[in-house]
Amino acid sequence: MSAGVVQVAGEVIANRRVGAYHHLTLVAPGVAELAHPGQFVALAVGGPTSANLLRRCFSIHKVKPSGTYGGTVDVVVAAHGPGTQWLTGLSAHDAVDVVGPLGRPFPLPAEPVACVLVGGGYGSAPLFWLAEALRERGCHVEMVLGAASEDRLFGVVEARRSADGVTVTTDDGSAGRRGWVSDVLGDVVDRTSAGVVYACGPMGMLRSVTDVARAHGAVAQVAVEESMACGVGVCMTCVMPVTGNDGVTRMVRSCVEGPVFRGDRVRWDAIEGGITRVPDDALGAPRPGGH
Amino acid sequence: MADMTTVLAGVELPNPVMTASGCAANGQELHRFFPVSELGAFVTKTVMKDPRSGRATPRMAETASGMLNSIGLQGPGIDVFCEKDLPWLAEQGARVLVSVAGNTAEEFGEVVQRLVASPAWSCVVGVEANISCPNVANRGLVFACDPVSSERVVQIVRTRVPDGVPVFAKLTPDVTDIVAIADAALRAGADGLTMINTLLGIVIDTDLLRPQLAGTTGGLSGPAVRPVAVRAIWQVVSAMRAGTVPTAPVIGVGGVRTGKDALELVAAGACAVQVGTATFNDPHAPRRVLTELEAEVTRHGVTRFADLVGIAHERMVTL
């Protein structure tokens, strides 16, 4: 297990609205130096006496190891509930407790193969940083960004800078092509002869991205958005059924063994309607009667 | 510096602060934040005989000052635990309180038998029999809801753990009379008690209008339950002081987030305190609570932590 994690008293230096989301820049000394694309931070919400005890986890959008203010970390937040509303309501100089970087980063290919990066909604947040890392290695990088509507896309302008080609889809057709990312992904993979598809977004999208990548001969690396209580590996709430190299399916923690998994190793058959079952063949699965 | 040592049924610990079972995994994750050997004891995630996947997800729902969980005792099984987790804890110099469970009383015995045979056994300072986990499909398996079941489990565990290593029975507050369960466990041979486990609850998702947890029910923990823990400790320790229940050390657990919170459990009679759900909010929490509790001991002008154990019983206002 990597020792490269710190808990620091962070400070907000910027909080800007971007479409339906908020883009926060936090001074968090020590996090940036250790972080890689695909990793995340776990933020405490509501201050030291908060009644909301569980940390909120966000994939790292970008880092700056030594800016004017010391190392900074950027995250993108959608205000869904009390914790994220507290975060999006923060002003410059407000304090936020930061734990990170956490989780396994996106694995980078050893060879300069073409890659397609797929983001659903603000799931695109970690992909720009990943795109830069891939292009530094000589990879041709294309991005596919999709969302329900234009205001729920994140980073289209940034994508044009970070990638060699960008395709946009929206469910309602308010920007780019009407439809889902999975409708266009196969063509992009074929056109670029991509070897790897990286994706971050909702479970349903990750499943279709995995299917399309497989059908077009690419490997899918997906970063999941499981809800977590701690983010550091102690609470066992963020587990997912994933098949290991030995062919055995285990309920693994997405915070320490993920959040990035090979798409074809995730047991999508057990995930439906907001519930993830334990597959009957998983190690230690409940016997009849449950446990 | 205050003397923070505490003695649990003949075993002396350098300080009274521990992790709580199921809130700290088996040490490696928290060791990235502080050395686990600095705690009085490290309490492991409950280990059962066989590997266990745990339950479907969602397994967690946030509640006001707490959370509901239905992990379902996920774990690698006692053999892997003895092969990997316990030796790692021993290498760090941790003092380990091993939490064990079984589907039957006999299975508790099998788990303990394999544990005792582990080459790393010498780091074990106690065994905590988890007879009160609410996250089992068969509620009849919550042994601590019934005095007779509690007795059977405790007897088997006590028989298989060598003398000199104390056995603690972890109790649930979800009973009509916790003093009766405590009495049964102690008379069956438990050297001490851990109080409390989580309380059974349900959260409804108001968008989907269905239970938020896939397993429907879960255990409520966090600062919201602290007064229940203080009450349970108080009632059992009162009975001990009155001589109606055998006197034994109590490990307090339930809603401890700060040193002041820990002091509440101590003043009610706990001679050690576990930090659980607060660890999810702050991975340094167990270590921080120790520092804060030391400051509380000093603030109250005593030189020994032990002087504060149960002190509130002596200061109770009688009307």
Side-chain angles (χ1 to χ4, degrees):
Chain A
M1 184 169 296
S2 153
V5 59
V6 293
Q7 180 178 12
V8 290
E11 182 188 333
V12 175
I13 53 168
N15 177 1
R16 358 182 224 293
R17 218 192 154 92
V18 181
Y21 312 112
H22 285 254
H23 177 169
L24 271 71
T25 303
L26 309 170
V27 179
V31 178
E33 292 81 349
L34 297 165
H36 298 281
Q39 290 188 293
F40 64 93
V41 287
L43 308 181
V45 297
T49 59
S50 174
N52 295 104
L53 291 177
L54 308 184
R55 286 197 175 244
R56 271 58 173 174
C57 297
F58 301 93
S59 60
I60 298 171
H61 172 48
K62 62 177 148 193
V63 294
K64 231 182 243 165
S66 54
T68 322
Y69 307 95
T72 59
V73 173
D74 289 34
V75 294
V76 181
V77 180
H80 283 309
T84 44
Q85 279 161 9
W86 182 84
L87 283 169
T88 56
L90 292 175
S91 310
H93 307 303
D94 285 343
V96 188
D97 189 276
V98 181
V99 173
L102 294 162
R104 291 187 175 168
F106 288 114
L108 302 179
E111 302 293 321
V113 297
C115 300
V116 184
L117 280 48
V118 186
Y122 70 126
S124 60
L127 300 180
F128 312 100
W129 185 26
L130 171 65
E132 285 160 25
L134 290 167
R135 285 171 95 186
E136 277 169 23
R137 293 175 159 247
C139 299
H140 175 84
V141 174
E142 299 233 355
M143 295 184 87
V144 178
L145 303 181
S149 52
E150 185 175 17
D151 62 327
R152 298 194 171 271
L153 288 164
F154 178 81
V156 175
V157 174
E158 200 170 351
R160 302 206 193 281
R161 281 199 302 269
S162 314
D164 300 299
V166 182
T167 311
V168 172
T169 67
T170 48
D171 298 1
D172 64 359
S174 53
R177 268 189 54 172
R178 180 191 296 268
W180 293 345
V181 291
S182 49
D183 300 335
V184 300
L185 178 60
D187 287 345
V188 180
V189 171
D190 289 344
R191 175 167 52 74
T192 58
S193 308
V196 189
V197 175
Y198 295 93
C200 186
M203 285 292 182
M205 186 202 94
L206 298 181
R207 180 182 190 162
S208 7
V209 165
T210 300
D211 290 342
V212 173
R214 183 193 287 123
H216 293 262
V219 173
Q221 296 284 356
V222 302
V224 302
E225 296 174 342
E226 260 299 319
S227 59
M228 300 170 182
C230 72
V232 301
V234 294
C235 77
M236 310 298 282
T237 62
C238 65
V239 297
M240 304 220 325
V242 176
T243 306
N245 290 331
D246 56 2
V248 177
T249 297
R250 295 176 180 79
M251 296 300 280
V252 304
R253 292 166 293 180
S254 52
C255 65
V256 289
E257 300 194 45
V260 179
F261 294 107
R262 260 182 64 153
D264 58 359
R265 295 290 179 82
V266 176
R267 291 290 299 270
W268 303 107
D269 59 310
I271 304 172
E272 201 182 347
I275 302 279
T276 301
R277 290 180 303 101
V278 178
D280 293 339
D281 59 343
L283 183 69
R287 298 183 199 111
H291 71 217
Chain B
M1 282 292 282
D3 173 6
M4 293 300 285
T5 57
T6 191
V7 180
L8 299 177
V11 174
E12 184 179 294
L13 301 176
N15 70 70
V17 179
M18 307 175 173
T19 54
S21 181
C23 298
N26 284 329
Q28 299 196 35
E29 297 80 1
L30 291 189
H31 198 66
R32 298 181 294 171
F33 298 95
F34 64 90
V36 292
S37 60
E38 290 183 5
L39 299 175
F42 184 90
V43 187
T44 62
K45 182 157 173 58
T46 297
V47 62
M48 298 185 73
K49 184 162 76 91
D50 298 318
R52 196 169 151 113
S53 67
R55 294 174 129 184
T57 69
R59 290 176 171 184
M60 173 263 284
E62 192 174 49
T63 61
S65 291
M67 70 181 288
L68 211 57
N69 88 81
S70 66
I71 308 304
L73 298 175
Q74 177 166 351
I78 186 66
D79 292 340
V80 172
F81 176 83
C82 289
E83 207 174 292
K84 293 190 176 151
D85 298 306
L86 197 59
W88 183 86
L89 284 161
E91 272 170 41
Q92 312 313 315
R95 291 157 294 276
V96 184
L97 182 58
V98 181
S99 173
V100 298
N103 288 304
T104 61
E106 190 44 49
E107 205 178 294
F108 271 85
E110 280 186 63
V111 172
V112 169
Q113 202 160 346
R114 294 194 207 179
L115 173 66
V116 169
S118 163
W121 167 253
S122 61
C123 70
V124 177
V125 295
V127 173
E128 186 175 271
N130 181 3
I131 57 176
S132 48
C133 178
N135 292 319
V136 286
N138 179 0
R139 286 282 294 157
L141 286 177
V142 181
F143 299 91
C145 287
D146 173 51
V148 178
S149 306
S150 302
E151 268 172 32
R152 283 185 53 228
V153 173
V154 170
Q155 270 167 6
I156 288 179
V157 172
R158 184 58 274 177
T159 312
R160 310 245 170 125
V161 173
D163 288 347
V165 177
V167 171
F168 293 84
K170 186 166 180 179
L171 305 185
T172 172
D174 271 351
V175 290
T176 310
D177 181 6
I178 196 165
V179 176
I181 307 288
D183 186 51
L186 292 170
R187 290 188 195 282
D191 304 282
L193 303 168
T194 304
M195 291 185 285
I196 55 173
N197 210 317
T198 56
L199 294 106
L200 197 67
I202 295 178
V203 168
I204 304 281
D205 180 322
T206 49
D207 292 325
L208 301 172
L209 295 175
R210 70 182 189 201
Q212 196 169 327
L213 300 182
T216 307
T217 57
L220 179 65
S221 64
V225 310
R226 193 177 64 247
V228 181
V230 174
R231 180 271 296 172
I233 295 163
W234 181 277
Q235 288 179 325
V236 170
V237 171
S238 289
M240 288 176 182
R241 293 168 74 98
T244 54
V245 167
T247 298
V250 170
I251 302 174
V253 53
V256 173
R257 187 179 192 175
T258 66
K260 273 197 201 323
D261 298 343
L263 181 58
E264 279 201 55
L265 276 61
V266 169
C271 52
V273 174
Q274 300 177 348
V275 179
T277 303
T279 310
F280 303 159
N281 178 254
D282 172 11
H284 281 99
R287 184 63 190 81
R288 174 178 52 74
V289 166
L290 170 57
T291 305
E292 292 172 356
L293 183 58
E294 277 182 285
E296 286 297 317
V297 172
T298 306
R299 181 171 78 89
H300 283 285
V302 296
T303 51
R304 302 184 327 141
F305 160 77
D307 293 340
L308 294 176
V309 174
I311 195 167
H313 291 269
E314 282 146 35
R315 299 189 174 192
M316 184 175 50
V317 178
T318 43
L319 298 173

